[in-house]
Amino acid sequence: MNEVKEALRNIEQKCKLFQQQQFIFIGALQHTRENARDTLRPVASISQVQSYMDHHCNSSTDRRVLNMFLNICNDLSKLCQTLEAVYSGNSVTDGILERCKLLLSHSNDLSTIRAKYPHVVVNRLSCDEVSNYGGIVSLIPIVLDCMKEWVAHSEKLLQHRLHNVSGGSAVSEKRASQDAPAGAAVSQKPPSGHLEAQTSTNKDNVQVWGSNHVQKNHLNHTDNHGGKHKSPWKPPGRHA
């Protein structure tokens, strides 16, 4: 989409330069119409402008401005074909491209189209000029508006698709977590190494306590046993 916007910006720059030379363009059409003795009908198609430039143009200035108009129309037509071939849209975007292709068709009758506000290309013309050149000067501004509309709709469509994909992934993860077995839950059981160390420590404490208890009991038992069977010590030679 960025490439499309860049291409459209480049065409717009050419259009701005061309619009600055609108009166030169009208003069070139008037000169070539007179040379072709074709002043009764309005300039109503791209092919008509092409014919005037190819066969009835005697001025390099007229040729330059007529060629600028034809080149811009050709650039817009190529951009439409590229978008149609590369980007898959919906009925709205497809309809916009079809309208652009129809407007840019060399044989299409442009006599009834008029560029509206904020475009001022028609307002710059006199009433006689509007009837003869109003359609041909309105062509490029109208197609540019259509192309901008196509970009806006395409960006919304792309955002909608990305939102749906992102939402679907979130729903899948949520369902996966809900469907997970109970054993998959995080266990609160302490690590086995910690448990073994704790058990070993407890056993050692029990053994130490048991050893002390047995030793103490043994000493008590020995003292008691000695008190019962051993007579007290008496000095030698004296007997009670």
Side-chain angles (χ1 to χ4, degrees), residues 123-196:
N123 296 338
R124 295 175 180 176
L125 305 177
S126 65
C127 293
D128 184 60
E129 289 173 338
V130 168
S131 62
N132 287 315
Y133 313 114
I136 203 71
V137 300
S138 298
L139 174 62
I140 292 175
I142 290 176
V143 173
L144 280 177
D145 286 346
C146 289
M147 296 302 299
K148 292 177 182 178
E149 185 181 0
W150 183 93
V151 170
H153 279 286
S154 296
E155 286 184 330
K156 290 180 181 179
L157 183 61
L158 180 60
Q159 291 175 359
H160 181 68
R161 289 175 178 173
L162 292 176
H163 177 72
N164 288 342
V165 171
S166 176
S169 299
V171 171
S172 299
E173 292 177 359
K174 184 176 180 182
R175 289 179 178 176
S177 63
Q178 291 176 348
D179 296 340
V186 178
S187 175
Q188 300 297 327
K189 186 178 180 180
S192 59
H194 177 73
L195 180 60
E196 291 176 359

Side-chain angles (χ1 to χ4, degrees), residues 42-89:
V43 181
S45 67
I46 298 175
S47 61
Q48 197 171 348
V49 177
Q50 183 75 56
S51 177
Y52 289 161
M53 187 188 73
D54 292 341
H55 305 291
H56 306 286
C57 187
N58 300 325
S59 167
S60 59
T61 301
D62 292 348
R63 182 177 298 277
R64 178 187 58 80
V65 73
L66 293 178
N67 191 56
M68 183 183 296
F69 169 81
L70 294 172
N71 285 338
I72 292 174
C73 292
N74 188 51
D75 290 342
L76 288 170
S77 181
K78 287 182 178 179
L79 182 58
C80 288
Q81 293 173 2
T82 301
L83 297 181
E84 186 179 32
V86 175
Y87 293 90
S88 60

Side-chain angles (χ1 to χ4, degrees), residues 90-231:
N90 56 11
S91 59
V92 176
T93 56
D94 292 344
I96 294 173
L97 284 181
E98 286 298 324
R99 187 187 180 200
C100 290
K101 288 166 58 180
L102 177 62
L103 288 170
L104 293 168
S105 173
H106 279 213
S107 59
N108 185 52
D109 187 356
L110 305 171
S111 58
T112 59
I113 68 170
R114 295 292 185 271
K116 299 180 180 179
Y117 182 84
H119 302 293
V120 295
V121 291
V122 176
N123 296 338
R124 295 175 180 176
L125 305 177
S126 65
C127 293
D128 184 60
E129 289 173 338
V130 168
S131 62
N132 287 315
Y133 313 114
I136 203 71
V137 300
S138 298
L139 174 62
I140 292 175
I142 290 176
V143 173
L144 280 177
D145 286 346
C146 289
M147 296 302 299
K148 292 177 182 178
E149 185 181 0
W150 183 93
V151 170
H153 279 286
S154 296
E155 286 184 330
K156 290 180 181 179
L157 183 61
L158 180 60
Q159 291 175 359
H160 181 68
R161 289 175 178 173
L162 292 176
H163 177 72
N164 288 342
V165 171
S166 176
S169 299
V171 171
S172 299
E173 292 177 359
K174 184 176 180 182
R175 289 179 178 176
S177 63
Q178 291 176 348
D179 296 340
V186 178
S187 175
Q188 300 297 327
K189 186 178 180 180
S192 59
H194 177 73
L195 180 60
E196 291 176 359
Q198 183 178 2
T199 304
S200 176
T201 303
N202 292 338
K203 287 181 179 181
D204 293 341
N205 292 336
V206 171
Q207 290 176 0
V208 172
W209 181 86
S211 176
N212 293 336
H213 181 69
V214 171
Q215 184 178 5
K216 184 177 180 181
N217 289 342
H218 177 70
L219 292 175
N220 290 338
H221 177 72
T222 304
D223 292 342
N224 292 337
H225 182 73
K228 292 180 181 180
H229 299 283
K230 187 176 181 180
S231 59

